[in-house]
Amino acid sequence: MIFDKQGTTTTVFQENTSLETFLKNLKKGYDDLKHDHIIVNLFSFEHLSAGDILEFLELSNTHRSLKKSFILVTEKVSYDEVPEEICVVPTIQEARDIIEMEEIERDLDL
C-alpha cells in the first residue's frame, strides 16, 4: 500500500493486488490515517463494480463521523451507481476540490 501525504490529506493507492487485500490493508493501517482526509485512488483496479465500491461504505461512514473527508477515485463506477453516503469521483483533482468544499462546510457548520 502506498501513501502520499500532502498537508492534511493522504492519498492511498496500491498496485498489483486484489480489492479484498487492498481493503484489508487499508483497514489495518486506518489508525495511522484517521486524522487526515483520505483519498482512495482505485485506478489500478481494472474491474470495479458498484458492489465493490460498497465494500468501502463502513470505513467511509466511520471516517466521516470523525468530520474528515473520505473519497474514492475511479472512472469505472459513477456516483449515480452508489448510495449518497459514499463519495465517488473520476479524478484526483475533483477529490481535492470536494475536500476543500467539505472543509468550508464544516467551518460554517453546514
Side-chain angles (χ1 to χ4, degrees), residues 1-2 7-8 11 14 20-21 30 33-34 36 41 44 51-54 62 67 73-74 83 86 89 91 93 102-103:
M1 186 164 299
I2 302 165
T8 60
T11 302
Q14 181 76 44
E20 180 181 327
T21 302
Y30 179 71
L33 305 171
K34 68 182 178 184
D36 291 343
N41 183 339
S44 65
D52 294 331
I53 297 299
L54 289 177
T62 298
K67 305 289 187 220
V73 181
T74 181
I86 195 157
V89 297
T91 66
Q93 184 57 51
E102 288 180 348
E103 274 294 289

Side-chain angles (χ1 to χ4, degrees), residues 36-109:
D36 291 343
H37 302 292
I38 299 173
I39 296 172
V40 180
N41 183 339
L42 299 173
F43 282 137
S44 65
F45 297 97
E46 289 184 32
H47 305 286
L48 282 176
S49 68
D52 294 331
I53 297 299
L54 289 177
E55 295 293 323
F56 291 90
L57 185 59
E58 181 182 339
L59 190 56
S60 174
N61 288 341
T62 298
H63 199 64
R64 288 179 172 279
S65 73
L66 298 173
K67 305 289 187 220
K68 296 293 181 180
S69 299
F70 186 91
I71 303 169
L72 302 175
V73 181
T74 181
E75 293 178 326
K76 294 180 176 58
V77 177
S78 136
Y79 67 90
D80 292 332
E81 298 177 64
V82 295
E84 225 174 82
E85 294 88 12
I86 195 157
C87 185
V88 176
V89 297
T91 66
I92 296 290
Q93 184 57 51
E94 194 167 343
R96 294 185 191 289
D97 292 345
I98 286 177
I99 289 171
E100 191 174 319
M101 289 186 318
E102 288 180 348
E103 274 294 289
I104 292 168
E105 288 173 357
R106 286 185 201 95
D107 289 345
L108 297 174
D109 287 328

